[in-house]
Amino acid sequence: MGRPEKPVPDPVSPVGKLATALRNGRRLSGLSYAALSERTRDYSAATLQRAASGAVVPKRDVVRAFAHVCSLDVDEIDRLWLEAYRTRRPRRSAAAAAPLPHLIGNISELRGALGELRHASGAPSYRMMQRRAQAVGLELSRSTAYRISVGQQVPGSMESLEAFLVGCGLPPRLHPVWGAAWRRATEHAESIRLASVRATQELEAVVADSPKGVVSQEAAMRLLRKADFDALERYRGFDMPWTVECMRCAATLRVRLSDVVLQRATCLECPEINERVHAAWSDLLANHSGALSRQEVRALRASKLMQVRFQRNHLDVPVFVGDKETGAVLQSSAWHPVLESALRRRIRRRFRLDVFLVYDYDVMTSSRNGSRQRRLAKAAGLVDGPIEGRRHGELDRGGGATVPSRVMATGESSSPPTYTVPPARRFDRQIELPPAPTNSGP
């Protein structure tokens, strides 16, 4: 004799009433769950016992097979299951509830109403919906039925809608109401699409560089690079998807030139790269490993980390220097391996590190003009006037040059040795050139 079953948790609830009816039917039939499993041939004894436990709402096919083997009223068991299923479903608010078919006016309302229709019909399995549609000569795959039910898509044609309605078991007399709702929703979506196309054409005519009002390849590349993107394939149209690469973080993404012009195309990985670099910079300033000297830590804390640039596995880290003493300390590349180690713990991709210093205008001793460094510092809001940028490797006033140290992400330093370039010679003697020949003779 087996162990007695646990009592139903809530016998008066719809789920409890269904479980009680199933247990009574099994008791009257005198069959064990193992014998029920052998007769159903599709479900295990554990599945059938769980269906009669009262703790969960079982599948509809399981309940029907249980009732058929135990000679119960299948219609009554089906009614109890439907009531239990509707009770266990999370209640939706009145604002989120799907409208009735005759009130549907757009695609979103049609999507929600079709999902509600399947649940109101007893949530038949997708295999059952496929079989019902095939029985009347319609095509409805299980994947299509699933996507329509969960709101991932809407029927693309009237035949697809008809197959879904048949799969849900909706009476044929109600099909015309849903057909009219589908036509209103698709017409509304088409009107929105046409309005968007007209607006895009007007925008292209404004930014076009040709009399025909079409953006050329050169203009498209110029607009794309202005937004810090680089094309990975040829330009096909103003509103066509375009595979591009972010010039800051080297991420690959699909954009439309119309979105680029409207500043709606943004790279989602750039903020993440900058956040990780700033976290690594904080680790560098903390100096937990003790690899930096006190002078280097003071100089780094007196400097300012600017917007980084990650392009084609090259990570450019600009550091703003506000005084000469800080610049003199940070000119040495001895602290670069420490920064590279901190970056490796934050960024899980191969990169080649390039650190360069951005100087204030008053700090520089020469009158050079660094356009890129000026743009970086102005964008960061560090200075208002002109600034000068000196990258490792540029000539100083005395004619010397320091080659930047590039640190590989693998931990091996590939920096060339530091060397000095001799200053260029100045020739004070003037060189007289021979007169140019003429056609007038000697």
Side-chain angles (χ1 to χ4, degrees):
M1 183 177 180
R3 293 179 297 177
E5 288 186 294
K6 294 182 179 179
V8 178
D10 190 3
V12 297
S13 65
V15 180
K17 292 179 180 179
L18 174 63
T20 302
L22 294 178
R23 290 188 179 189
N24 293 335
R26 188 186 70 85
R27 189 180 305 109
L28 293 176
S29 64
L31 298 175
S32 63
Y33 287 107
L36 286 176
S37 177
E38 293 179 359
R39 296 195 179 187
T40 58
R41 297 183 180 180
D42 293 331
Y43 307 104
S44 64
T47 301
L48 297 172
Q49 186 175 7
R50 192 181 308 113
S53 64
V56 296
V57 178
K59 291 184 177 180
R60 194 173 195 175
D61 297 340
V62 176
V63 172
R64 287 182 173 179
F66 198 115
H68 180 73
V69 172
C70 295
S71 301
L72 296 175
D73 188 355
V74 178
D75 294 337
E76 178 64 18
I77 295 297
D78 196 60
R79 184 189 64 80
L80 293 175
W81 177 88
L82 185 59
E83 184 179 353
Y85 178 81
R86 291 175 177 174
T87 305
R88 280 302 181 101
R89 283 194 64 214
R91 296 184 179 274
R92 303 178 63 184
S93 62
L100 297 176
H102 63 278
L103 298 178
I104 294 175
N106 52 48
I107 291 295
S108 61
E109 294 176 351
L110 177 64
R111 186 182 296 113
L114 290 176
E116 287 291 332
L117 174 63
R118 175 178 175 268
H119 289 292
S121 302
S125 64
Y126 302 117
R127 188 183 299 275
M128 178 63 69
M129 296 177 67
Q130 182 184 27
R131 292 175 179 175
R132 289 177 178 175
Q134 291 176 350
V136 295
L138 298 176
E139 292 293 333
L140 179 66
S141 64
R142 286 174 289 174
S143 59
T144 302
Y146 167 77
R147 289 193 295 268
I148 296 177
S149 300
V150 300
Q152 293 182 1
Q153 74 175 56
V154 295
S157 62
M158 187 63 72
E159 291 75 12
S160 179
L161 175 66
E162 187 78 14
F164 184 82
L165 298 178
V166 171
C168 292
L170 192 70
R173 57 184 177 82
L174 299 179
H175 290 189
V177 180
W178 286 94
W182 179 84
R183 282 189 292 269
R184 287 195 302 271
T186 53
E187 290 174 359
H188 180 264
E190 182 65 16
S191 64
I192 293 178
R193 188 191 68 83
L194 293 177
S196 176
V197 170
R198 287 193 296 268
T200 302
Q201 292 175 350
E202 294 175 359
L203 177 63
E204 183 178 10
V206 171
V207 300
D209 56 344
S210 63
K212 296 181 179 180
V214 179
V215 177
S216 62
Q217 174 77 20
E218 294 76 11
M221 294 297 299
R222 185 169 60 252
L223 293 172
L224 190 68
R225 288 169 180 168
K226 187 177 180 181
D228 290 334
F229 293 119
D230 193 9
L232 297 181
E233 62 180 2
R234 65 180 181 86
Y235 171 70
R236 295 181 297 176
F238 190 71
D239 201 39
M240 296 293 292
W242 199 1
T243 302
V244 300
E245 181 183 56
C246 179
M247 299 176 63
R248 297 179 179 177
C249 67
T252 302
L253 63 156
R254 298 272 286 177
V255 300
R256 302 174 188 268
L257 187 60
S258 57
D259 294 335
V260 173
V261 173
L262 296 175
Q263 298 182 355
R264 295 185 301 190
T266 57
C267 179
L268 300 179
E269 295 191 18
C270 282
E272 181 180 358
I273 292 293
N274 280 277
E275 290 175 2
R276 294 186 179 184
V277 173
H278 279 78
W281 185 263
S282 300
D283 298 340
L284 179 69
L285 298 182
N287 195 21
H288 297 296
S289 61
L292 300 176
S293 62
R294 295 183 178 178
Q295 188 180 14
E296 290 174 336
V297 173
R298 286 196 298 267
L300 289 171
R301 291 179 177 175
S303 60
K304 174 70 175 180
L305 179 65
M306 300 172 61
Q307 184 82 7
V308 301
R309 182 185 180 92
F310 188 42
Q311 180 182 8
R312 303 186 187 278
N313 294 333
H314 285 265
L315 180 61
D316 292 344
V317 179
V319 181
F320 180 77
V321 178
D323 56 81
K324 298 180 180 180
E325 292 76 12
T326 302
V329 175
L330 298 184
Q331 276 292 332
S332 173
S333 61
W335 57 279
H336 292 182
V338 185
L339 174 61
E340 185 269 339
S341 179
L343 290 170
R344 285 184 58 201
R345 292 191 295 268
R346 299 287 182 174
I347 302 177
R348 301 298 185 183
R349 63 174 68 178
R350 293 183 61 86
F351 61 86
R352 192 179 184 90
L353 180 62
D354 191 1
V355 181
F356 63 92
L357 305 181
V358 180
Y359 290 84
D360 195 351
Y361 181 77
D362 298 332
V363 177
M364 296 299 299
T365 57
S366 60
S367 58
R368 290 184 306 276
N369 182 16
S371 59
R372 180 185 178 193
Q373 287 80 0
R374 180 172 65 254
R375 291 196 305 268
L376 291 172
K378 285 187 176 181
L382 297 175
V383 293
D384 297 328
I387 69 166
E388 303 298 337
R390 189 174 82 178
R391 190 176 182 131
H392 296 254
E394 292 184 353
L395 289 173
D396 59 12
R397 190 174 186 180
T402 304
V403 177
S405 64
R406 295 182 179 270
V407 184
M408 294 295 293
T410 56
E412 299 178 359
S413 176
S414 61
S415 60
T418 303
Y419 60 91
T420 303
V421 179
R425 297 181 180 179
R426 295 185 58 188
F427 296 92
D428 298 329
R429 182 173 60 88
Q430 297 182 356
I431 301 176
E432 296 182 0
L433 299 178
T438 62
N439 295 328
S440 59

